[in-house]
Structures are given as C-alpha cells and as structure tokens.
C-alpha cells in the first residue's frame, strides 16, 4: 500500500518560514511525480507545486512562485516544500500527493494522498 505522511506544519507569523516534509513508502517511485496541494475551509483544493522523482523537474503554482520551493531526497523517499515569506492567505491544510507519470496540476489526476498538515499564518 502506498503511504504518504506529511509533517512540519504549524503556526507562524507573516513573513516567516516553514518546511513541510512528505515521507513516501510502499512502492518504487522512480517513475512517479509528487505534488503539494492545499485546501482552506470552504475552498477548493489548490495546486501548489509538483516534482518528478527521476529528473527533479519542478513546477510551482503562480500564487507561490518565488516564495515556495519543492524538492526531493530520493534516498529517503521524501519530498519537501520550503515555504518562505509566508502570508495569511497561505493558511490551509497542505496535502502531499503522488501519481504515476508526469506532474500535473489537477487534484483529480493524483491517486495517492497523505493525511494533510495544518499551516496557519498569522498577521
């Protein structure tokens, strides 16, 4: 069974930083893509960033470009989301997701999901 476990969320002041981690297990992920999505209460799930395991190719959503950076450690099967210059509008539950093939931006294209980790940014 594929298992994705997020960690690293918390409460931070505007302008601060957090690093989220997603530990992946249960499968060989060399041909998979990973992604981060976020969802605030009453809002649709929003694409944040994606990365491929094999090449490290990344793509970041417009709302986080220049502030957030996705990366991965293949040896540890872990994906990270470094979040800098956090804003109150970044407050959401952040989810890690995985799919076979290329990184895409719709949550409907992802097959495996973690439980989420809460990020709260205060002003």
């Amino acid at each position: 069974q594929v298992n994705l476990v997020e960690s690293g969320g918390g409460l931070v002041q505007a302008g601060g930083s957090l690093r989220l981690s997603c530990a992946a297990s249960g499968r060989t992920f060399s041909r998979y893509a990973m992604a981060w999505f976020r969802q605030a209460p009453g809002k649709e799930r929003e694409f944040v960033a994606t990365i491929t395991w094999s090449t490290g190719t990344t793509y970041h959503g417009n709302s986080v470009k220049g502030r957030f950076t996705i990366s991965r450690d293949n040896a540890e099967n872990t994906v990270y989301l470094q979040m800098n210059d956090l804003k109150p509008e970044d407050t959401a539950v952040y989810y890690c997701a995985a799919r076979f093939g290329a990184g895409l931006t719709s949550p409907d294209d992802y097959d495996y999901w973690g439980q989420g980790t809460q990020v709260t940014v205060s002003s």
Side-chain angles (χ1 to χ4, degrees):
Q1 300 285 355
V2 170
N3 193 31
L4 306 176
V5 180
E6 302 98 331
S7 61
L11 175 65
V12 65
Q13 291 183 326
S17 298
L18 285 172
R19 189 180 75 161
L20 306 183
S21 298
C22 173
S25 61
R27 189 160 298 183
T28 299
F29 293 97
S30 60
R31 301 183 69 184
Y32 279 66
M34 305 291 291
W36 289 97
F37 291 84
R38 65 187 184 184
Q39 188 166 25
K43 304 294 185 180
E44 295 183 345
R45 193 160 295 190
E46 178 188 21
F47 171 76
V48 175
T50 187
I51 188 169
T52 61
W53 282 106
S54 59
T55 65
T57 301
T58 64
Y59 180 76
H60 296 79
N62 290 334
S63 63
V64 304
K65 286 180 179 177
R67 299 188 298 120
F68 293 8
T69 304
I70 190 171
S71 62
R72 92 289 198 213
D73 185 333
N74 286 14
E76 296 185 359
N77 276 3
T78 301
V79 175
Y80 303 97
L81 184 69
Q82 179 65 48
M83 305 185 293
N84 298 325
D85 192 24
L86 283 160
K87 303 175 180 180
E89 53 262 43
D90 296 318
T91 295
V93 176
Y94 282 71
Y95 295 93
C96 179
R99 69 180 302 275
F100 181 82
L104 301 174
T105 61
S106 173
D108 294 338
D109 291 317
Y110 287 81
D111 303 304
Y112 308 104
W113 293 85
Q115 83 289 348
T117 185
Q118 177 71 48
V119 172
T120 302
V121 184
S122 62
S123 59

